[in-house]
Amino acid sequence: MSSAVSTTGPDATEQAGAALAARLKPGDVVLVSGELGAGKTTFVRGALRALGISGPVTSPTFVVGHAYEGASGPVNHLDLYRLAGMGDEDPGLLEPFFAPGAIVFVEWPEHGPGAWPPERVVHRVHLAHAGGDERSIEVG
Ligand code: ADP
Ligand code: MG
């Protein structure tokens, strides 16, 4: 099942993330793609809030990921942007983020294909600029 919405501000994009989060279960992996500034981190922030994470949720651009404890288990947020061009990066580096039962959101999945267990991917989200503060969000 796939759906598409458009939002006119960050709050609505957070709400879209929260709506998706309500459908997740432990162990699920969600890939979140889109250009810089398209709202990937904003979407994930809404999802993490809905999963019971209350502290700041910022882009893990300068580290590969952030690990959180949600209301019903671990929730991890990865940004693979910097993996681009690193060639044979040790795949074990990311493994702890994919511990069984952890819900994982992955930004820039195209920079690290194969970094996640494929059978755990339940949704692929794509965000795109649609002029000004408008963004289109496809959830597949
Ligand atoms: P990404 O992770 O894709 O690089 P971010 O979520 O970090 O993007 O940043 C998106 C930026 O765009 C934020 O500054 C946010 O406030 C702004 N913004 C404006 N309109 C929207 C919208 N409709 N949805 C999401 N972000 C928006
Ligand atoms: Mg981001």
Side-chain angles (χ1 to χ4, degrees), residues 40-42 59-61 77 79 107-108:
K40 300 180 297 297
T41 298
T42 302
S59 183
T61 298
H77 178 195
D79 186 326
E107 291 189 45
W108 291 103

Side-chain angles (χ1 to χ4, degrees), residues 7-10 13 34-42 107 133-135:
T7 64
T8 53
T13 296
E35 290 170 15
L36 204 63
K40 300 180 297 297
T41 298
T42 302
E107 291 189 45
D133 281 351
E134 197 166 332
R135 303 289 192 277

Side-chain angles (χ1 to χ4, degrees), residues 94-106:
L94 298 177
E95 243 174 58
F97 288 107
F98 294 100
I103 290 176
V104 190
F105 294 89
V106 182

Side-chain angles (χ1 to χ4, degrees), residues 6-131:
S6 100
T7 64
T8 53
D11 288 355
T13 296
E14 286 194 16
Q15 277 171 33
L20 180 74
R23 291 149 49 188
L24 299 178
K25 58 182 193 319
D28 285 351
V29 172
V30 178
L31 308 182
V32 186
S33 64
E35 290 170 15
L36 204 63
K40 300 180 297 297
T41 298
T42 302
F43 182 91
V44 173
R45 180 180 301 117
L48 265 51
R49 292 272 176 270
L51 291 166
I53 289 140
S54 53
V57 172
T58 56
S59 183
T61 298
F62 299 104
V63 291
V64 77
H66 287 149
Y68 301 93
E69 193 60 32
S72 11
V75 182
N76 299 326
H77 178 195
L78 301 186
D79 186 326
L80 304 186
Y81 188 76
R82 292 188 320 141
L83 292 192
M86 285 178 113
D88 294 327
E89 180 73 18
D90 177 5
L93 177 76
L94 298 177
E95 243 174 58
F97 288 107
F98 294 100
I103 290 176
V104 190
F105 294 89
V106 182
E107 291 189 45
W108 291 103
E110 47 281 274
H111 284 197
W116 53 84
E119 69 280 3
R120 284 174 55 182
V121 175
V122 292
H123 292 292
R124 293 167 191 270
V125 180
H126 184 74
L127 294 103
H129 293 271

